[in-house]
Amino acid sequence: MRDAARTLWRELRRDRARAIVSLLGITWGTLAILVLLAFTVGMEELFDERSAGLGDGIAIAWPSRTSKSWQGLPAGRSLAITRDDVLAAGNAVPVLDAISPEFRVQDRIASADAALRVSICGVEPVFARLRTLRPSPGGRFVDARDVAERRRVVFLGDRLALRLFPRGSAVGREVRIGRTPYLVVGVLEQKEQDSDYGGKDEGLAFAPSTTLAAAYGRRFVNDCVFRARDPERQAECTAAVVAALAARLRFDPADRQAVSVWDTTEQQRMLGWIFLGFHVVVGIAGAVTLMAGAVGIAHLMYLMVRRRTAELGLALAVGARPAQLCRELRAQTLLLVGAGGALGAVLAFALVAIAGAGPWTAETGVPRIPLALGVAAVLVLCACAVAASALPARAVSRLDPVMALRN
Amino acid sequence: MSDRTVDAPLVSLRGVTKVYEREGAPVRALDGVDLEVAAESYVAVTGASGSGKSTLLHVIGCLDTPSSGSYRLLGEELASLSADERSLRRRRIGFVFQAFHLAPRMTALDNVALPLRYAGVSLRDRRARAAAMLARVGLADRSMHTRAELSGGQQQRVAIARALVAKAPLLLCDEPTGNLDSKSGAEIVALLEELAAEGRTLIVVTHDLALAARARRRLRMTDGRITGDEAS
């Protein structure tokens, strides 16, 4: 290897301009493939994070109107679901991870500093886990005792808390919802959220489902939120929840219009496919750039072989085997491609680090070069080296020492 | 597969023919050559241009393969070996060419060490052996000079050192004085005589009758055949 490197260095010094251009072709290709994919990875992670802001693999179901007659009951009935219906459905579905009913009311919420009209959600404790509602330090979400004892406690969205209590922490303070006082037990930790149903969580208030139902005389829920234990079985879980509700509310479980369902995992799956396509297209574009660089290296190596024909003929005459010379040539190509690739990788990591520190990452995501991408880039570079050395190696293997010495 | 025998001649050719295609027509460069060369011989091959001298040397040196016939080196049949196998056998043979064939950007030391590089000898060992061989041909002080910094005679001495460095039992010289002035040529002739006196086997192709006259055995070639074989 040391001999191959010495010979390569000697030859490159003879043709510096061509060597630099060929090397930069590989550098540019590596830089392009790594940086482009790093940005798509960052963007995908940002989308995932925002998508998870609504909830982690959840489905939201709300009652609607039947479209089929069922067991003597006519089509066109409006369905109404109680909290008990939701909790009973949850108990009946083994593949379910968690389910929470959700009441929604619009009312005035007031502190000593401000008064606003907002949506208040009446939910179970498990709702926080389903909807990724993490309390800021020092606070908590609605708990089981709050629900059991119908406590007048409330968990505020971070933006709402800031508007109600602009001068300090909201936790432990009192707000009035309508005319009823509630104790603020927690404030939402700031999060990214790209979709919602009835307002982003930062502007909502969350109270125990039992408290809200009693305070507003509500018997029927607006919707319920649930997810499967295994995300791959979400469709099965949704069908089972609808079937359980159908059994209690007496509608055809095959009636797709009776209960509307928004399965966010379908959206996430779709997004996954879109990004996969994006990665593939960008990867191919980068690989083509890299292949163009490899053509430059192949040309350089071929010229080197032609220029060294007499020297290679001499090597054969003094006992070098053609396979030895081919191996040496492949090692030289690998060194050259490796040097260009290493330079490209260093530049890519530097560029990604700089880009990842900018203010634009809120919109573009933080670009990142995952280990798998690094390994893939190394494999592509090796393939380039093998491809680039193929033609020159063939020329070497066909050298006739007598003819080469006459060269 | 080797079928080497103990008392076989170093070089043995039987009915060796070499036919080239030139512009669609066959050319018989060697035409049924029979030749045996014993170890420690000093053989000169003379003949007109195109008589087949260089082709004979290329076949003996495993640079070329015969079209038909048998060629044995050290008792081993080599006529039908692959390119890779012939390369390995060439490690038993040292070559000295008319045009010297020194790699232009290598130093004299690296040129001499070249055969050892492909034989897998470590850099340190091959440099030591190459330096010793350069000293043997009187060029110890020129080891770091490149081809352009050496005279024709010095280049040919470097080429001889390269041919000797791997301790090959057979030395093949193709017009070793052809590109040299008379003084340098005489020095090379003297060096070859020294090597012959040391017991090395030399086969020298030459037009130089003075050089041929110094050999212990002289072959004459005409139209691809050996037409004269005399010993002194």
Side-chain angles (χ1 to χ4, degrees):
Chain A
M1 193 59 151
R2 192 161 58 172
D3 288 318
R6 283 175 67 210
T7 307
L8 178 67
W9 180 242
R10 195 186 69 208
E11 289 300 317
L12 293 182
R13 285 172 63 189
R14 284 188 72 194
D15 199 354
R16 282 180 200 177
R18 199 187 302 273
I20 289 169
V21 168
S22 303
L23 200 73
L24 287 181
I26 293 291
T27 301
W28 176 248
T30 310
L31 182 70
I33 201 166
L34 287 177
V35 169
L36 287 174
L37 283 171
F39 271 94
T40 63
V41 165
M43 203 173 285
E44 184 179 14
E45 287 175 350
L46 177 69
F47 270 76
D48 281 347
E49 186 189 337
R50 285 184 174 173
S51 171
L54 175 65
D56 190 5
I58 59 169
I60 302 136
W62 61 97
S64 188
R65 191 181 286 271
T66 61
S67 64
K68 294 177 179 176
S69 56
W70 179 253
Q71 294 178 346
L73 296 168
R77 278 186 303 137
S78 285
L79 295 177
I81 304 174
T82 65
R83 176 174 176 266
D84 288 344
D85 291 332
V86 173
L87 297 180
N91 289 332
V93 178
V95 293
L96 192 77
D97 174 36
I99 190 165
S100 170
E102 183 176 13
F103 295 96
R104 286 214 176 207
V105 296
Q106 289 271 328
D107 207 345
R108 184 171 173 277
I109 185 166
S111 67
D113 292 312
L116 305 159
R117 190 165 180 82
V118 298
S119 286
I120 303 122
C121 309
V123 296
E124 303 294 312
V126 76
F127 191 82
R129 188 155 60 86
L130 289 165
R131 291 283 318 283
T132 51
L133 299 170
R134 296 188 189 92
S136 297
R140 66 170 176 86
F141 194 68
V142 170
D143 65 18
R145 281 187 69 185
D146 296 334
V147 173
E149 297 172 12
R150 294 184 193 167
R151 287 176 172 175
R152 286 177 185 160
V153 294
V154 69
F155 179 85
L156 299 178
D158 52 318
R159 195 176 164 85
L160 175 61
L162 195 64
R163 292 181 72 183
L164 290 172
F165 300 99
R167 287 173 295 183
S169 170
V171 176
R173 311 276 290 276
E174 190 181 278
V175 292
R176 285 183 176 271
I177 298 176
R179 291 180 182 173
T180 311
Y182 281 75
L183 177 68
V184 178
V185 292
V187 173
L188 177 67
E189 190 177 70
Q190 196 178 8
K191 68 172 180 177
E192 293 285 343
Q193 185 180 349
D194 65 351
S195 53
D196 62 78
Y197 53 100
K200 288 192 175 179
D201 295 344
E202 63 185 10
L204 301 179
F206 302 87
S209 59
T210 48
T211 310
L212 210 69
Y216 290 89
R218 294 283 295 271
R219 193 175 159 221
F220 301 112
V221 302
N222 291 69
D223 56 71
C224 64
V225 180
F226 61 92
R227 77 166 164 226
R229 287 181 199 280
D230 177 1
E232 295 296 314
R233 299 179 72 181
Q234 184 71 15
E236 180 194 340
C237 179
T238 299
V241 167
V242 171
L245 289 173
R248 285 181 69 90
L249 303 177
R250 297 174 67 197
F251 66 87
D252 184 349
D255 184 352
R256 300 181 73 86
Q257 290 182 27
V259 174
S260 301
V261 178
W262 175 18
D263 183 351
T264 64
T265 61
E266 280 178 16
Q267 185 183 330
Q268 284 167 342
R269 206 171 297 125
M270 181 88 75
L271 208 61
W273 282 110
I274 289 170
F275 269 102
L276 179 65
F278 202 26
H279 293 326
V280 168
V281 169
V282 168
I284 288 173
V288 167
T289 312
L290 206 50
M291 288 310 280
V295 169
I297 295 286
H299 184 232
L300 180 74
M301 297 307 291
Y302 188 71
L303 286 181
M304 213 163 93
V305 167
R306 288 194 62 176
R307 201 165 52 213
R308 293 180 61 217
T309 297
E311 191 181 320
L312 293 168
L314 176 67
L316 289 170
V318 300
R321 286 180 296 124
Q324 248 177 324
L325 297 180
C326 288
R327 210 163 40 234
E328 192 173 291
L329 189 88
R330 286 197 189 95
Q332 287 166 343
T333 312
L334 196 63
L335 274 175
L336 208 51
V337 171
L343 182 60
V346 167
L347 291 175
F349 274 100
L351 199 63
V352 164
I354 292 167
W360 49 79
T361 51
E363 297 306 321
T364 62
V366 179
R368 188 171 69 82
I369 300 174
L371 180 64
L373 175 56
V375 172
V378 169
L379 291 176
V380 171
L381 280 171
C382 288
C384 283
V386 170
S389 65
L391 190 66
R394 190 161 172 260
V396 167
S397 68
R398 291 182 166 192
L399 269 182
D400 174 355
V402 176
M403 298 305 291
L405 284 169
R406 281 183 193 154
N407 185 285
Chain B
M1 184 68 76
S2 171
D3 54 352
R4 186 175 167 177
T5 54
V6 176
D7 293 324
L10 189 70
V11 171
S12 170
L13 289 88
R14 288 273 174 273
V16 167
T17 301
K18 181 69 189 179
V19 181
Y20 293 112
E21 285 277 328
R22 188 176 295 162
E23 294 170 2
V27 176
R28 291 180 87 81
L30 295 178
D31 189 5
V33 172
D34 293 321
L35 175 66
E36 285 194 353
V37 177
E40 302 186 11
S41 300
Y42 181 10
V43 181
V45 183
T46 58
S49 291
S51 61
K53 306 184 299 292
S54 291
T55 305
L56 178 67
L57 208 67
H58 291 157
V59 168
I60 294 172
C62 293
L63 290 173
D64 211 344
T65 50
S67 305
S68 64
S70 160
Y71 168 42
R72 286 172 178 263
L73 176 67
L74 292 160
E76 184 189 8
E77 178 61 53
L78 306 182
S80 56
L81 294 180
S82 69
D84 253 32
E85 288 168 329
R86 278 189 284 127
S87 288
L88 287 174
R89 301 312 182 274
R90 281 198 287 272
R91 292 178 188 173
R92 302 173 185 169
I93 303 162
F95 287 95
V96 177
F97 302 99
Q98 179 178 0
F100 321 134
H101 287 311
L102 300 186
R105 285 169 301 283
M106 285 186 192
T107 61
L109 190 75
D110 284 341
N111 264 293
V112 173
L114 196 63
L116 303 176
R117 169 177 166 180
Y118 294 106
V121 178
S122 72
L123 183 64
R124 192 175 162 181
D125 282 358
R126 67 192 192 225
R127 285 198 161 160
R129 285 169 64 178
M133 203 48 69
L134 277 172
R136 166 69 187 82
V137 298
L139 288 176
D141 57 338
R142 295 283 190 272
S143 63
M144 298 316 287
H145 289 223
T146 59
R147 187 178 77 179
E149 296 163 338
L150 298 169
S151 69
Q154 287 170 334
Q155 287 185 47
Q156 195 60 299
R157 283 181 196 219
V158 172
I160 291 170
R162 182 179 62 199
L164 297 173
V165 76
K167 295 176 182 166
L170 177 62
L171 193 62
L172 303 178
C173 307
D174 191 359
E175 302 283 6
T177 57
N179 278 6
L180 301 177
D181 57 45
S182 55
K183 182 170 175 281
S184 300
E187 286 171 4
I188 294 302
V189 170
L191 180 57
L192 293 176
E193 276 189 338
E194 276 178 39
L195 296 173
E198 286 171 9
R200 294 177 195 272
T201 308
L202 272 77
I203 301 177
V204 181
V205 163
T206 184
H207 280 111
D208 183 347
L209 295 177
L211 170 58
R214 306 277 192 110
R216 294 197 284 268
R217 182 180 172 193
R218 290 168 293 282
L219 303 175
R220 176 153 188 83
M221 290 199 71
T222 311
D223 297 334
R225 279 176 289 194
I226 294 174
T227 52
D229 186 350
E230 60 182 63
S232 55

